Amino acid sequence: MQNKLKFTIDWQKWKARAWTIELNWKTVKTPVFMPVGTKATIKWLILDMLNDPKYLWDLPEINLILANTYHLYLRPWEKLIKDAWWLHKFENWDWLILTDSWGFQVFSLGLGKEWKKLFKLTNDWVKFRSIHDWSRHFFSPESCVDIQCDLWSDIMMMLDVCSPPWITDKKFKQHLRLTHHWAKKAYDHHQSKYDQVKWVLFPIVQWWTNLDLRKESAEFLSKLAPDGIAIGWVSVGESQEEIQKVVEFTTPLLPEDKPRYLMWVGNPEWIKYAIEQWIDMFDCVLPTRLWRHWVYYSDQWYTKIGNTKNKFDHSPLTNTCDCYACKNFSKAYIHHLFREKEMLGATLLSLHNISYLHRMISKIREDILKW
Amino acid sequence: MQNKLKFTIDWQKWKARAWTIELNWKTVKTPVFMPVGTKATIKWLILDMLNDPKYLWDLPEINLILANTYHLYLRPWEKLIKDAWWLHKFENWDWLILTDSWGFQVFSLGLGKEWKKLFKLTNDWVKFRSIHDWSRHFFSPESCVDIQCDLWSDIMMMLDVCSPPWITDKKFKQHLRLTHHWAKKAYDHHQSKYDQVKWVLFPIVQWWTNLDLRKESAEFLSKLAPDGIAIGWVSVGESQEEIQKVVEFTTPLLPEDKPRYLMWVGNPEWIKYAIEQWIDMFDCVLPTRLWRHWVYYSDQWYTKIGNTKNKFDHSPLTNTCDCYACKNFSKAYIHHLFREKEMLGATLLSLHNISYLHRMISKIREDILKW
């Protein structure tokens, strides 16, 4: 095994594919769901639960997770993490890390009227405010690569502009061109300054449900994607049909021989659909956030643990999952934890939800290989 | 091994002792600290972490924890837990469970002016209000034993009266006599109705720092303690000197050949002192609650993780502990988790704190055996 990103095509045919990706002496089997560890921790869990048969039972280990550049830059600061022998050591994760850059954070944090106040775009950088103390900061396409290298991200995302859907078409186009201009700068910086063997850089194809712009973006950014490419700026409120249309339209425009990463999608049905469109990588905060609504993934779509009938139900969350939560606890117990506001409830549901998606995707991979 | 409570005296001499307690085919080595799982979960942890070398490293397994009768009676209801094949199966804990009864809960929840409204005492029972919905309930000494048997507690506590320190001496004495009357009723009920081989029942010696009443209580209740006895109603605000005085005064009055359990004491120095007075068992919520103050046990007494200097400190919480938190994470990382309000911070500190007390006591046991 080597540390340069390398793909082995295990199986690929209309309409799905299974790959082995090797990077920095680690292996990832695709399709893959990546749990989100925004601030150097996956909420309600301990990271190495994802590699422990006690918690995932017979499932393959999970060995690729996310972290977020924007958050870790603000706090605790990427130089502090570098001092700690990088993010892997800091958060005690021996496997691969992909870092999202900043776009969605600035967008989602500034959604609404605050949006314009929160950042200012120029041709070469974006100036923005910290959500913590309103202090001023800036990212350039180059500095965003530098920060991610300081974190020692294995797979980095380029800086992009995520503008909200209510701006004018003219502005949309301006932002798209700016994202492309930045992508070129990020690409050149990465090529000239860094060892591309260690750090891999993905551009992010834009733009919302506008197919003309999607086409322009896919065609331009495909040339700046030596190792992989992401489809971003989707799954932020559209209908299933809209997302499917975007995915179906965009994927044929992307390089066939590179991993494709569909950002922010955690709905099981949408993942299944996207895998059939040759998407390889997924991430979403949903599995560690559904507990807020007392909800978990099940074969009946979503199930509410809070339902009164679960109070006396001594059967497991699901009958098809072998995760730690399903194997060892009853609905009645987890219902009790939620009623009593005991944190273990969030832990068990989050563990189950990650396990559920991971199991579903691993099963799809097996099916693809058997085809 | 048998299921009847049995002690093997490993070492006993002025002024400390190390025993092996066998009960229901399980073994506990004393002195022992019992983590508190009030509502069928130990806050911020998964119970079986306490038996997993991944988390406690080379420490002996922890195999005796607490739960609370009052809370589990109100929610989810002891009959529901019985239906789930008892508390062990419900909370997924294969080892021993000790259940506290109700006294301290009613006291602590009704502390202040609400105290009188919250419950009403008669010769045969106590009527009290639920903290959840203000509904009316009652416990008798007998029903309190029944409830604990329904939970399948391995070691049960008798129903007692914990009155606040500001009542008159006359009332104190009345409550003491009532506690003794109840103890006799609980003892008789337990002897006549239940298999004393499976369920062990401890009385609780009262009363605050009043040594005359302590003497009366210790002498009376020692006769109703075939398997062990607790010293209660201490460590609720007294000074170290007062507690030491009570412990030093009370222990010589207790049966020498039975386990002694000092309730609610989690201060490392006080535990050390009490072990030298032949106390065998301890419990306290402190290890899983100190994180609220961003504090953890260390050889420098308590240490604040929130101190600014910890922000850049890449060394572990302590240099003397091998728990999962100390082995894998830095002060800087845990400081970051606290600043970002990430739950993993509470998990890591709680795990460390339980591990710290367990290590300290296990070390004392080794020292006792080597003496």
Side-chain angles (χ1 to χ4, degrees):
Chain A
M1 214 188 286
Q2 55 179 11
N3 73 331
K4 175 69 187 134
L5 184 73
K6 186 188 151 200
F7 326 112
T8 313
I9 297 173
D10 301 320
W11 206 97
Q12 174 168 316
K13 197 163 125 184
W14 192 87
K15 290 185 132 186
R17 62 193 201 177
W19 285 6
T20 298
I21 298 179
E22 289 171 25
L23 176 61
N24 290 329
W25 301 280
K26 313 278 161 51
T27 298
V28 176
K29 303 281 183 182
T30 73
V32 61
F33 177 80
M34 307 175 283
V36 179
T38 303
K39 296 179 179 180
T41 170
I42 294 179
K43 281 184 194 297
W44 321 108
L45 301 182
I46 302 176
L47 288 188
D48 66 11
M49 285 179 169
L50 304 180
N51 275 302
D52 189 336
K54 174 167 161 184
Y55 299 108
L56 292 190
W57 195 233
D58 59 343
L59 286 179
E61 292 173 338
I62 292 175
N63 42 23
L64 174 56
I65 62 171
L66 250 68
N68 186 273
T69 310
Y70 168 84
H71 284 292
L72 295 177
Y73 157 80
L74 287 178
R75 282 188 181 174
W77 185 31
E78 78 280 3
K79 298 290 180 196
L80 183 148
I81 290 177
K82 189 180 181 181
D83 269 359
W85 292 80
W86 301 281
L87 187 52
H88 294 259
K89 172 76 182 143
F90 187 61
E91 65 179 17
N92 192 39
W93 176 253
D94 285 338
W95 302 87
L96 294 170
I97 298 171
L98 179 150
T99 46
D100 198 355
S101 58
W102 79 296
F104 185 66
Q105 276 62 39
V106 171
F107 168 79
S108 67
L109 297 168
L111 207 73
K113 284 179 189 159
E114 295 295 313
W115 189 73
K116 274 189 191 162
K117 282 193 221 156
L118 257 176
F119 64 99
K120 182 171 183 283
L121 297 166
T122 75
N123 212 32
D124 298 318
W125 42 261
V126 52
K127 200 166 74 182
F128 60 95
R129 299 278 195 166
S130 161
I131 43 158
H132 300 301
D133 56 9
W134 211 239
S135 56
R136 290 161 198 273
H137 301 266
F138 91 103
F139 274 176
S140 68
E142 294 86 354
S143 78
C144 193
V145 169
D146 294 338
I147 293 167
Q148 291 178 85
C149 285
D150 277 347
L151 297 172
W152 204 311
S153 162
D154 298 285
I155 302 176
M156 308 185 287
M157 293 290 131
M158 288 181 182
L159 188 66
D160 61 345
V161 185
C162 284
S163 36
W166 58 77
I167 61 172
T168 60
D169 269 13
K170 195 177 152 208
K171 264 272 189 250
F172 255 180
K173 279 181 200 164
Q174 276 177 18
H175 287 176
L176 184 74
R177 306 280 145 70
L178 188 56
T179 296
H180 292 176
H181 174 64
W182 285 1
K184 185 76 181 72
K185 284 163 76 85
Y187 178 85
D188 289 343
H189 185 68
H190 179 241
Q191 289 280 323
S192 64
K193 190 171 165 194
Y194 291 103
D195 182 355
Q196 296 96 46
V197 166
K198 279 186 200 138
W199 295 286
V200 162
L201 185 63
F202 281 22
I204 304 170
V205 173
Q206 308 269 4
W207 207 272
W208 202 254
T209 52
N210 183 325
L211 298 186
D212 289 341
L213 296 187
R214 283 273 171 201
K215 184 163 191 291
E216 187 179 334
S217 188
E219 284 170 356
F220 184 89
L221 294 172
S222 290
K223 292 173 214 144
L224 303 175
D227 294 311
I229 195 160
I231 301 177
W233 214 219
V234 77
S235 187
V236 284
E238 310 88 279
S239 69
Q240 180 165 4
E241 288 68 34
E242 282 176 311
I243 290 188
Q244 291 185 348
K245 204 166 88 182
V246 168
V247 171
E248 206 173 328
F249 175 84
T250 310
T251 44
L253 306 170
L254 304 179
E256 224 185 272
D257 58 341
K258 306 282 155 59
R260 292 147 175 194
Y261 161 29
L262 180 62
M263 303 175 90
W264 315 327
V265 170
N267 179 309
E269 289 307 308
W270 301 3
I271 289 177
K272 280 184 200 165
Y273 178 85
I275 289 174
E276 294 186 353
Q277 304 297 325
W278 287 16
I279 297 286
D280 307 292
M281 302 159 68
F282 302 89
D283 82 289
C284 191
V285 293
L286 218 51
T288 52
R289 213 173 259 183
L290 279 177
W291 70 271
R292 291 188 193 171
H293 311 286
W294 296 34
V295 156
Y296 62 94
Y297 291 132
S298 75
D299 298 337
Q300 294 74 47
W301 199 236
Y302 299 112
T303 300
K304 279 198 175 243
I305 190 66
N307 280 351
T308 313
K309 72 181 165 77
N310 289 332
K311 185 176 176 180
F312 296 97
D313 188 339
H314 298 295
S315 69
L317 292 177
T318 72
N319 292 315
T320 50
C321 175
D322 283 329
C323 81
Y324 179 80
C326 288
K327 275 173 74 88
N328 295 300
F329 302 97
S330 64
K331 291 195 194 87
Y333 179 68
I334 298 173
H335 178 95
H336 161 70
L337 295 175
F338 270 84
R339 273 191 96 199
E340 294 301 307
K341 299 189 181 65
E342 290 285 348
M343 183 282 307
L344 184 58
T347 298
L348 293 178
L349 285 202
S350 300
L351 189 60
H352 165 76
N353 287 335
I354 287 178
S355 171
Y356 186 90
L357 284 189
H358 184 48
R359 176 177 310 274
M360 182 190 86
I361 290 181
S362 301
K363 182 78 178 49
I364 292 175
R365 183 184 152 87
E366 276 175 34
D367 290 346
I368 294 172
L369 293 178
K370 269 189 252 161
W371 230 338
Chain B
M1 210 188 287
Q2 54 179 12
N3 73 329
K4 173 72 189 133
L5 184 72
K6 186 188 150 198
F7 325 113
T8 313
I9 296 172
D10 301 321
W11 206 97
Q12 174 167 314
K13 198 163 123 182
W14 191 85
K15 287 188 135 188
R17 63 193 200 176
W19 284 6
T20 299
I21 298 179
E22 289 171 24
L23 176 60
N24 289 328
W25 301 281
K26 313 279 162 52
T27 298
V28 176
K29 305 281 186 183
T30 73
V32 61
F33 177 80
M34 305 175 285
V36 179
T38 303
K39 298 179 180 180
T41 170
I42 294 179
K43 281 184 193 296
W44 321 109
L45 300 182
I46 301 176
L47 288 188
D48 67 8
M49 285 178 169
L50 305 180
N51 274 302
D52 189 337
K54 174 167 160 183
Y55 298 108
L56 293 189
W57 195 233
D58 59 343
L59 285 179
E61 292 173 338
I62 292 175
N63 42 23
L64 174 56
I65 62 171
L66 249 68
N68 186 272
T69 311
Y70 169 84
H71 284 293
L72 295 177
Y73 157 78
L74 288 179
R75 281 191 184 173
W77 184 31
E78 78 281 2
K79 298 289 182 197
L80 184 147
I81 290 177
K82 190 181 181 181
D83 269 359
W85 293 79
W86 300 281
L87 188 52
H88 294 260
K89 172 74 181 144
F90 188 62
E91 66 180 17
N92 191 39
W93 175 253
D94 285 338
W95 303 86
L96 294 169
I97 298 171
L98 180 150
T99 46
D100 199 354
S101 59
W102 79 296
F104 184 67
Q105 275 62 40
V106 172
F107 168 79
S108 67
L109 298 169
L111 206 72
K113 284 176 189 162
E114 294 297 312
W115 190 72
K116 275 190 192 160
K117 282 193 223 158
L118 258 175
F119 66 98
K120 181 169 183 285
L121 296 166
T122 77
N123 211 33
D124 297 319
W125 42 260
V126 53
K127 200 166 74 183
F128 59 95
R129 299 278 197 166
S130 160
I131 42 158
H132 300 301
D133 55 8
W134 211 239
S135 56
R136 290 161 199 274
H137 301 264
F138 92 102
F139 273 176
S140 69
E142 293 87 353
S143 78
C144 193
V145 169
D146 293 339
I147 293 167
Q148 291 178 83
C149 284
D150 276 347
L151 297 172
W152 202 312
S153 162
D154 298 284
I155 302 177
M156 307 186 289
M157 292 290 131
M158 288 181 182
L159 188 66
D160 61 344
V161 184
C162 284
S163 37
W166 58 77
I167 62 172
T168 61
D169 269 12
K170 196 177 153 208
K171 264 270 189 250
F172 255 179
K173 277 179 201 164
Q174 276 176 18
H175 287 176
L176 185 74
R177 305 279 145 72
L178 189 55
T179 295
H180 291 177
H181 175 63
W182 285 1
K184 185 77 180 70
K185 284 162 78 83
Y187 178 84
D188 289 344
H189 185 69
H190 180 242
Q191 288 281 323
S192 64
K193 190 171 166 195
Y194 291 103
D195 182 355
Q196 295 97 46
V197 165
K198 278 186 198 138
W199 296 286
V200 161
L201 185 64
F202 281 22
I204 304 169
V205 172
Q206 308 268 4
W207 204 273
W208 201 254
T209 52
N210 182 324
L211 298 187
D212 289 341
L213 296 186
R214 283 273 171 202
K215 185 163 189 293
E216 188 180 335
S217 188
E219 283 170 357
F220 184 90
L221 294 172
S222 290
K223 292 173 214 142
L224 304 175
D227 294 312
I229 195 161
I231 301 177
W233 214 220
V234 76
S235 187
V236 284
E238 311 88 279
S239 69
Q240 180 165 3
E241 287 69 33
E242 281 176 311
I243 290 189
Q244 290 185 349
K245 206 166 88 182
V246 168
V247 171
E248 207 173 328
F249 176 83
T250 311
T251 44
L253 305 170
L254 303 179
E256 224 185 274
D257 58 342
K258 306 282 155 57
R260 294 147 174 192
Y261 160 30
L262 181 62
M263 303 175 89
W264 315 327
V265 169
N267 179 309
E269 289 308 308
W270 301 2
I271 289 177
K272 279 184 201 167
Y273 177 84
I275 289 174
E276 292 186 355
Q277 304 298 323
W278 286 17
I279 297 286
D280 306 294
M281 301 158 70
F282 303 90
D283 82 289
C284 191
V285 293
L286 218 50
T288 52
R289 213 174 258 183
L290 279 177
W291 70 270
R292 291 188 194 171
H293 312 286
W294 296 33
V295 156
Y296 62 94
Y297 291 133
S298 75
D299 299 336
Q300 294 75 49
W301 200 236
Y302 300 112
T303 300
K304 279 198 175 247
I305 191 66
N307 281 350
T308 313
K309 71 181 165 72
N310 288 333
K311 185 176 176 181
F312 297 96
D313 188 339
H314 298 295
S315 69
L317 291 175
T318 72
N319 292 316
T320 51
C321 174
D322 282 330
C323 81
Y324 180 79
C326 287
K327 275 173 73 89
N328 294 299
F329 302 97
S330 64
K331 291 196 195 87
Y333 179 67
I334 298 173
H335 178 95
H336 161 70
L337 294 176
F338 270 84
R339 274 191 93 199
E340 295 300 307
K341 299 189 181 62
E342 290 284 349
M343 183 280 306
L344 184 59
T347 298
L348 293 177
L349 285 202
S350 299
L351 188 61
H352 166 77
N353 287 335
I354 287 178
S355 171
Y356 185 89
L357 284 188
H358 184 49
R359 175 177 310 275
M360 183 190 86
I361 290 181
S362 302
K363 182 77 178 50
I364 291 174
R365 184 184 152 87
E366 276 176 34
D367 290 346
I368 293 172
L369 293 178
K370 270 189 251 160
W371 228 339

